[in-house]
Amino acid sequence: MGGGIRFAKPEIFSHCEDRQVRYVIKLKSNARLLDHIQHQVLYQDDTDYTKTEQQYFKMAYQADSWDRSRTVAIKATRKAETLLFSEFQFVVTDFAHLSPQTIFQLYQKRGNMENFIKEMKTGFFADKTDSPSFLANKVRLALSFIAYNIIHLMKQLTFPQEKKTTVIDTIRFQLFHIAGKVTEHARQVQIHLSSTNVYNTLFWEVLTRIQRLNL
């Protein structure tokens, strides 16, 4: 899937189609698209103009630079108190069999991926490829991905349900950056956490679940 208008090029569409890669890519509005959709939006006599309303449409469309017709889904949004003025979004897709509502649901999921990429960069330093050696940068990026996947696996397998969406900065603060002391006595390794740690319950719950994993 593509989120930005910079991907809305016929070369990208053809590349995806030739390789059977499914896509939902945002299109920049133009006079032809707007002229079509403005004649399709309908409002009923009982329309409640105090509430935001959305209408969805789908059409076959071929821009001058395209070699073929493609499916374009359209969302018309009339915000509350704006009477008959609507804002329009257009996406081009090869999911011709899906409803326009479903197509936009797929498109909106791009935000999740953008959040994953952002967390990779800010939380696992995936953007720190400043070594003059390509191999060193490759290894560093691979380590970032490994750490990212381990943390997400830990969240899914050992975190309480209400904590599964916790971001890495919070995890570091609550579970990793804790003042403590490790001692070894009679062949036993013990961890003594700070008595003032307010996340003791969470720490021991997660640790207990890790120890119970059948790997």
Side-chain angles (χ1 to χ4, degrees), residues 23 36 62 98 102 104 112 116 125 154 178 198 202 215:
Y23 62 86
H36 174 85
Q62 182 174 357
L98 297 180
T102 302
F104 269 94
N112 292 335
F116 295 153
F125 313 106
M154 183 178 74
I178 300 174
V198 296
L202 176 63
L215 301 177

Side-chain angles (χ1 to χ4, degrees), residues 130-144:
D130 50 5
S131 171
S133 167
F134 178 83
L135 180 59
N137 287 328
K138 182 179 179 180
V139 171
R140 178 184 290 182
L141 183 60
L143 291 174
S144 294

Side-chain angles (χ1 to χ4, degrees), residues 3 31 63 92 103 157 197:
V92 59
I103 292 171
L157 295 180
N197 176 32

Side-chain angles (χ1 to χ4, degrees), residues 158-160 162-163 166 170 174-175 198-208:
T158 67
F159 276 33
E162 66 275 10
K163 294 289 185 178
T166 306
T170 303
Q174 294 183 353
L175 298 180
V198 296
Y199 301 107
N200 266 339
T201 301
L202 176 63
F203 179 91
W204 291 113
E205 180 178 358
V206 171
L207 181 59
T208 299

Side-chain angles (χ1 to χ4, degrees), residues 93-141:
T93 181
D94 62 341
F95 286 107
H97 62 289
L98 297 180
S99 69
Q101 294 96 323
T102 302
I103 292 171
F104 269 94
Q105 287 174 357
L106 289 173
Y107 175 72
Q108 289 163 356
K109 288 184 178 180
R110 81 195 190 282
N112 292 335
M113 183 56 63
E114 291 171 357
N115 289 336
F116 295 153
I117 294 173
K118 181 179 179 181
E119 187 177 20
M120 275 290 302
K121 290 181 177 180
T122 60
F124 296 87
F125 313 106
D127 58 341
K128 300 299 182 182
T129 54
D130 50 5
S131 171
S133 167
F134 178 83
L135 180 59
N137 287 328
K138 182 179 179 180
V139 171
R140 178 184 290 182
L141 183 60

Side-chain angles (χ1 to χ4, degrees), residues 2-213:
I5 294 175
R6 63 183 180 278
F7 293 110
K9 297 182 178 180
E11 297 86 354
I12 299 294
F13 308 151
S14 297
H15 181 84
C16 292
E17 292 159 354
D18 291 344
R19 289 158 178 77
Q20 297 183 334
V21 175
R22 312 311 296 266
Y23 62 86
V24 181
I25 300 176
K26 186 176 182 180
L27 277 181
K28 186 177 182 180
S29 64
N30 59 51
R32 283 178 58 192
L33 289 170
L34 289 174
D35 181 66
H36 174 85
I37 189 57
Q38 286 172 348
H39 291 84
Q40 301 297 317
V41 176
L42 299 175
Y43 297 102
Q44 306 299 325
D45 292 338
D46 58 350
T47 296
D48 186 352
Y49 292 101
T50 65
K51 298 180 180 179
T52 296
E53 181 184 40
Q54 293 177 334
Q55 298 183 41
Y56 295 88
F57 307 88
K58 189 169 64 173
M59 62 179 285
Y61 172 77
Q62 182 174 357
D64 293 338
S65 60
W66 298 2
D67 61 351
R68 72 190 76 172
S69 175
R70 293 183 170 92
T71 299
V72 172
I74 306 163
K75 180 168 74 171
T77 302
R78 181 194 54 76
K79 294 183 178 180
E81 310 293 351
T82 57
L83 297 180
L84 299 180
F85 296 99
S86 296
E87 298 177 354
F88 302 105
Q89 287 182 276
F90 305 90
V91 295
V92 59
T93 181
D94 62 341
F95 286 107
H97 62 289
L98 297 180
S99 69
Q101 294 96 323
T102 302
I103 292 171
F104 269 94
Q105 287 174 357
L106 289 173
Y107 175 72
Q108 289 163 356
K109 288 184 178 180
R110 81 195 190 282
N112 292 335
M113 183 56 63
E114 291 171 357
N115 289 336
F116 295 153
I117 294 173
K118 181 179 179 181
E119 187 177 20
M120 275 290 302
K121 290 181 177 180
T122 60
F124 296 87
F125 313 106
D127 58 341
K128 300 299 182 182
T129 54
D130 50 5
S131 171
S133 167
F134 178 83
L135 180 59
N137 287 328
K138 182 179 179 180
V139 171
R140 178 184 290 182
L141 183 60
L143 291 174
S144 294
F145 275 105
I146 292 172
Y148 176 83
N149 286 325
I150 289 175
I151 290 297
H152 274 270
L153 184 62
M154 183 178 74
K155 288 197 296 184
Q156 294 305 312
L157 295 180
T158 67
F159 276 33
Q161 186 62 40
E162 66 275 10
K163 294 289 185 178
K164 289 186 183 297
T165 58
T166 306
V167 298
I168 183 59
D169 287 342
T170 303
I171 293 173
R172 286 196 179 101
F173 177 74
Q174 294 183 353
L175 298 180
F176 297 164
H177 295 171
I178 300 174
K181 182 178 181 181
V182 178
T183 62
E184 184 175 0
H185 178 70
R187 296 183 180 181
Q188 290 186 343
V189 177
Q190 295 183 337
I191 301 175
H192 307 273
L193 299 183
S194 169
S195 60
T196 60
N197 176 32
V198 296
Y199 301 107
N200 266 339
T201 301
L202 176 63
F203 179 91
W204 291 113
E205 180 178 358
V206 171
L207 181 59
T208 299
R209 292 185 179 187
I210 290 175
Q211 294 171 332
R212 291 175 179 172
L213 289 177

